[in-house]
Amino acid sequence: MKQPTLKTMGQQSGRRSWAEPWKIKMVEPLRMISRAERETALIEAGHNMFLLKSEDVYIDLLTDSGTSAMSDRQWAGMMLGDEAYAGSRNFYNLEAAVRAYYGYKYVVPTHQGRGAEHLLSQAAIKRGQHVPGNMYFTTTRLHQELAGGIFVDVIIDEAHDSQSLYPFKGNVDFDKLEALVEREGAENIAYVSLAGTVNMAGGQPVSMANARALREWSDRHGIKVYLDATRMVENAFFIQEREEGYADKPIAAILKEFCGYTDGAWMSAKKDNLVNIGGWLAVNDEALFDELRNQVVVFEGLHTYGGLAGRDMEAIAIGIAESVQDDHVRSRIGQVRYLGELLTGWGIPIVLPVGGHGVFLDARRFYPHLRQDQFPAQTLAAELYLDSGVRSMERGIASAGRDPKTGDHYYPQLELTRLTIPRRVYTQAHMDVVAESVLTVYQARERTRGLKMVYEPKYLRFFQARFERL
Ligand SMILES: *Cc1c(COP(=O)(O)O)cnc(C)c1O
C-alpha cells in the first residue's frame, strides 16, 4: 500500500508543499479562559463535552457536524433563498445537485441526517427484521431499533483493531453477512446499512471492490443496500489514493460510481456537504419514494423543504459541488493527517491509518490502568479540555449505550477520544496547539483517575450524561 505523505500530496497538485485551496475573508475571534475557569466549567458540565458552553471552548474539535466554514458563494446563495412553502426554486437546485453528483433519482430534503434515518428506517424495516451494517452509528442504529429492527455488525474484524493498517477497514465481511442470511433467511433482512467512511471505526473507508461485491451479493439474495453517504466524499478520496485503477479518476467520478452500487442514501449535509444545517434522503425506487414523501410531511415538512429554509437548500446545493473538488478533499484530509502524523511521531496511541474526519486517540492504550466502565475516553476528553480548552468527543463505552435486552453496557472494543476537524475552519497552527496539549495530557497519564456516571438519560445517553471524578 502506497501512503503518500503530505509532501507528495502537494507535489501531486503541482506545489512544493501542501496548502489550503482558499484564503480567509472573515474571522471569528477566539477566547481562551483560565485553567481555574475551565475547572469550574468542567464540573458544571458534569465532565460531558456536550454540556460545555461553546464560549468556554478554545479550539472546538467536538465534531465536524455543522461546523464547516461556508464559502463566499454559499453565503451569496443564502441571499437567493426562495422562501416559498411549496416548490421553492432552491429545492430544485438541491435535487439537481444530488442527481448530478450522487446519481440517485428521487430526493427528499430533511432537517438533518437523523431525520432521513428516521424516515428510511420506518419505511424499509419491518418489526423483527435484521439490519446488517458495517459498524453501528449512534443515531442510525437507534432509528433502526425504534423501527423494530435488530442491528447486526458485519464489518471486517480489522475495523475493531486500532492498530491494523488494513487500507479499507470499513469493508463489509461477506462471511458474517452470509452467516446472518443462513441463520435468519433473506426475507428477515430489511436491507444492508452501508456507511462510507465508517465514523465509529475512526473514519475508515470502504473499497470500491467491496461495494461492487456487495451489489452482486445483494442482487443474488434480493436484498437492498442503502448508503450512509455522510462522508462518502472522503471515502472517495481514499479509493483514489489506495485502490488500484482509481489514481487518475476524479473524486466526483469515484463518488458516483460507488453510489451506483447502492439503492439509495441518507445524508447529513452538515458533514461533507459543507453547511451548518440540513440533510437529505435519495432513492431510486419510485414506490419507496412515494412512501418517504408521504412520511416527510408528517415529521419534517413539505416534501420540497423537509424542515429547511429555501436558503439552506441553496447552500447545500452549492456545497455539494464544492465538496467533490479534488483540491478541497485533499486539503481537508491533509490537515487531519498532519495532526495524526505529529501525534504518532511522539508515540501517542491513535487509530491507524488516520481516517478522513479526525484523529481518534486510543484511550485504552492511553490509560491502560482504567477499566472500561471508568470511562477512559470520557476521562481523556475532560483532561484535554482542562489542559488547553480543546474540546473533543468520547466515542467509547458512553456512546455505545446499553443493550436493550440485557440492560448492561455495550462494551465496544474501541474506546476512543475523537479530535474531529471542522472543514475549512482551523489552521495548521491550531493543529500544533492541539497536538502539544495531547502530549501534555499523555505525559500525565499515569496520575489520571477515571470517572463514574452519576446521571444517565434513556436515549443516546452520551449527549446528556453527567460524570464525576473517581
Ligand atoms: C452525523 C451522522 C449522522 C446523523 O446526522 P445528523 O445530521 O447529526 O442528524 C448519521 N451518520 C453518520 C455517519 C454521521 O456521522
Side-chain angles (χ1 to χ4, degrees), residues 12 20 70 104 119 124 305 331 353 355 402 451:
Q12 275 167 13
E20 289 85 358
M70 293 209 295
Y104 303 109
L119 298 178
Y305 77 82
S331 97
R402 289 182 190 272
L451 296 168

Side-chain angles (χ1 to χ4, degrees), residues 15-310:
R15 287 187 295 262
R16 260 185 227 97
S17 187
W18 165 86
E20 289 85 358
W22 39 258
K23 56 184 176 171
I24 296 165
K25 174 138 55 182
M26 189 188 278
V27 298
E28 177 182 341
L30 292 176
R31 181 173 91 112
M32 189 175 179
I33 58 176
S34 70
R35 187 181 174 100
E37 287 169 314
R38 288 199 295 278
E39 179 91 57
T40 309
L42 190 61
I43 289 166
E44 275 174 13
H47 291 77
N48 186 337
M49 300 299 111
F50 287 100
L51 301 178
L52 283 171
K53 290 185 183 135
S54 154
E55 267 191 338
D56 294 337
V57 172
Y58 176 46
I59 298 175
D60 201 349
L61 307 185
L62 181 72
T63 176
D64 62 334
S65 180
T67 54
S68 295
M70 293 209 295
S71 67
D72 51 358
R73 278 150 214 255
Q74 283 177 294
W75 279 107
M78 296 286 280
M79 299 305 290
L80 302 175
D82 172 9
E83 307 305 345
Y85 190 90
S88 158
R89 179 194 333 121
N90 313 118
F91 165 72
Y92 296 103
N93 292 345
L94 170 61
E95 183 185 57
V98 173
R99 283 180 176 160
Y101 292 101
Y102 291 84
Y104 303 109
K105 274 193 206 141
Y106 305 109
V107 181
V108 179
T110 60
H111 77 284
Q112 60 182 82
R114 72 198 69 183
E117 289 172 340
H118 171 223
L119 298 178
L120 182 69
S121 301
Q122 293 294 329
I125 300 172
K126 291 197 201 82
R127 214 143 271 285
Q129 278 188 322
H130 292 75
V131 190
N134 55 342
M135 200 172 268
Y136 86 98
F137 182 71
T138 53
T139 58
T140 314
R141 183 177 67 191
L142 180 62
H143 279 297
Q144 290 164 350
E145 287 173 351
L146 290 173
I150 303 158
F151 177 81
V152 183
D153 189 2
V154 295
I155 201 165
I156 56 171
D157 289 339
E158 285 85 343
H160 296 283
D161 172 3
S162 72
Q163 297 311 293
S164 161
L165 288 175
Y166 192 72
F168 292 103
K169 285 166 87 173
N171 279 357
V172 168
D173 184 331
F174 287 96
D175 290 340
K176 292 180 188 172
L177 208 45
E178 196 62 50
L180 179 69
V181 170
E182 262 170 45
R183 199 171 69 234
E184 305 293 341
E187 67 285 0
N188 290 318
I189 311 295
Y191 54 86
V192 178
S193 177
L194 181 70
T197 60
V198 181
N199 191 346
M200 303 301 278
Q204 303 295 330
V206 177
S207 72
M208 192 71 90
N210 195 249
R212 202 179 297 123
L214 182 60
R215 176 76 275 158
E216 284 161 15
W217 181 90
S218 26
D219 283 346
R220 226 170 32 247
H221 291 282
I223 295 171
K224 302 275 190 211
V225 179
Y226 294 112
L227 174 68
D228 185 338
T230 297
R231 296 186 186 81
M232 200 44 232
V233 168
E234 293 169 8
N235 198 108
F237 170 87
F238 290 115
I239 290 174
Q240 187 190 57
E241 178 184 70
R242 299 174 186 175
E243 198 162 349
E244 180 104 37
Y246 289 93
D248 298 323
K249 294 221 167 86
I251 298 284
I254 297 170
L255 174 69
K256 203 153 172 188
E257 180 186 338
F258 194 104
C259 292
Y261 297 128
T262 67
D263 296 288
W266 69 91
M267 182 74 190
S268 171
K270 302 170 70 172
K271 322 288 181 32
D272 268 358
N273 291 173
L274 298 165
V275 291
N276 304 123
I277 192 71
W280 47 263
L281 181 56
V283 296
N284 290 329
D285 182 284
E286 197 177 353
L288 175 61
F289 171 59
D290 239 33
E291 171 66 18
L292 296 168
R293 192 162 54 165
N294 214 309
Q295 291 289 321
V296 76
V297 187
V298 181
F299 294 104
E300 301 279 310
L302 194 68
H303 59 280
T304 52
Y305 77 82
L308 297 170

